[in-house]
Amino acid sequence: DAKTTQPTSMDCAEGRAANLPCNHSTISGNEYVYWYRQIHSQGPQYIIHGLKNNETNEMASLIITEDRKSSTLILPHATLRDTAVYYCIVRTPTDSWGKLQFGAGTQVVVTP
Amino acid sequence: NAGVMQNPRHLVRRRGQEARLRCSPMKGHSHVYWYRQLPEEGLKFMVYLQKENIIDESGMPKERFSAEFPKEGPSILRIQQVVRGDSAAYFCASSPTAIKANYGYTFGSGTRLTVV
């Protein structure tokens, strides 16, 4: 199984871009990178996912390196409500649908 | 369009009692997934169900835990003879029948089970 490595925690100033790194050096060619977040006491929230190309939606951007061994989630203008644990997940195609392997994630604290 | 609904939000049970957690998927969704989050730990997959079928129960504890998703009504996660170690937050997610190969799952707000 591909595994991910994320920093334990990081701080970000409100209004600034938050860049969350994730290493997945053993990722296979057909495995997608997913990002979810969990705000305290709430259920996980899907953010974005990608395979090779960079992706952008209304919440964030996902930058995947050309060798696919790492990626960065970018929150363009962090707000206090973005304080959460952010999970980078590599989904193994052989896993059944819905089987996501959450790690410890990165605790992001956005400060005023 | 309501999201994934879980109830109750909080459940307190004494050791030895049974706990029943309910999950109503999003409208039109027929696949349900249960996860457990123990205190200070990450989310762990438990079981994947389709209507009237268990597809993958590789994350379910071998004893006391069961899950069902009947033709009508919500999915139920049942824990018999609860112990203090069962205290956790239980989340479910759902997806539609005709699912794309990769999909961003919507999770419910969870049920916090406390065993006293």
Side-chain angles (χ1 to χ4, degrees):
Chain A
D1 288 352
K3 296 188 176 182
T4 63
T5 303
Q6 298 179 251
T8 302
S9 63
M10 61 183 296
D11 295 337
C12 178
E14 187 178 20
R16 296 290 186 96
N19 297 295
L20 284 62
C22 179
N23 287 321
H24 31 78
S25 58
T26 60
I27 193 170
S28 299
N30 59 351
E31 291 179 321
Y32 279 69
V33 178
Y34 281 79
W35 283 84
Y36 281 77
R37 72 180 182 183
Q38 187 174 25
I39 297 170
H40 182 62
S41 297
Q42 297 183 21
Q45 179 187 21
Y46 165 78
I47 301 174
I48 199 168
H49 72 273
L51 181 64
K52 295 180 181 178
N53 300 321
N54 298 337
E55 303 287 343
T56 296
N57 62 21
E58 65 277 4
M59 289 184 68
S61 295
L62 174 60
I63 308 298
I64 302 174
T65 57
E66 192 169 343
D67 64 7
R68 302 187 70 240
K69 292 180 184 246
S70 66
S71 59
T72 301
L73 179 74
I74 300 173
L75 307 177
H77 305 287
T79 70
L80 299 179
R81 287 176 293 182
D82 291 323
T83 293
V85 178
Y86 287 77
Y87 299 98
C88 172
I89 300 166
V90 170
R91 184 167 179 276
T92 304
T94 53
D95 282 341
S96 57
W97 293 335
K99 189 173 183 178
L100 300 171
Q101 297 184 30
F102 288 85
T106 296
Q107 172 67 64
V108 173
V109 177
V110 180
T111 56
Chain B
N1 181 23
V4 178
M5 305 300 292
Q6 291 189 249
N7 63 83
R9 287 297 304 275
H10 299 275
L11 181 62
V12 179
R13 284 288 177 266
R14 296 185 184 277
R15 282 178 294 171
Q17 290 185 320
E18 179 180 286
R20 282 180 175 251
L21 288 63
R22 289 177 291 276
C23 170
S24 296
M26 291 179 70
K27 185 177 181 180
H29 287 194
S30 59
H31 300 226
V32 166
Y33 318 89
W34 285 93
Y35 283 74
R36 177 169 69 172
Q37 187 169 32
L38 294 167
E40 308 304 323
E41 293 191 19
L43 290 136
K44 302 295 183 185
F45 168 83
M46 298 181 75
V47 62
Y48 160 32
L49 308 104
Q50 291 180 16
K51 287 279 188 181
E52 301 184 279
N53 284 301
I54 297 175
I55 306 302
D56 182 349
E57 56 182 348
S58 58
M60 287 280 271
K62 293 289 187 284
E63 298 177 348
R64 301 186 298 107
F65 284 72
S66 62
E68 63 176 10
F69 189 16
K71 187 176 181 180
E72 300 292 337
S75 175
I76 305 290
L77 180 67
R78 181 185 179 201
I79 311 171
Q80 294 178 288
Q81 299 176 315
V82 296
V83 301
R84 288 217 169 111
D86 297 331
S87 295
Y90 292 82
F91 296 97
C92 77
S94 72
S95 63
T97 303
I99 188 172
K100 294 186 291 185
N102 289 280
Y103 180 83
Y105 298 94
T106 298
F107 283 78
S109 298
T111 293
R112 274 110 189 121
L113 172 66
T114 302
V115 179
V116 297

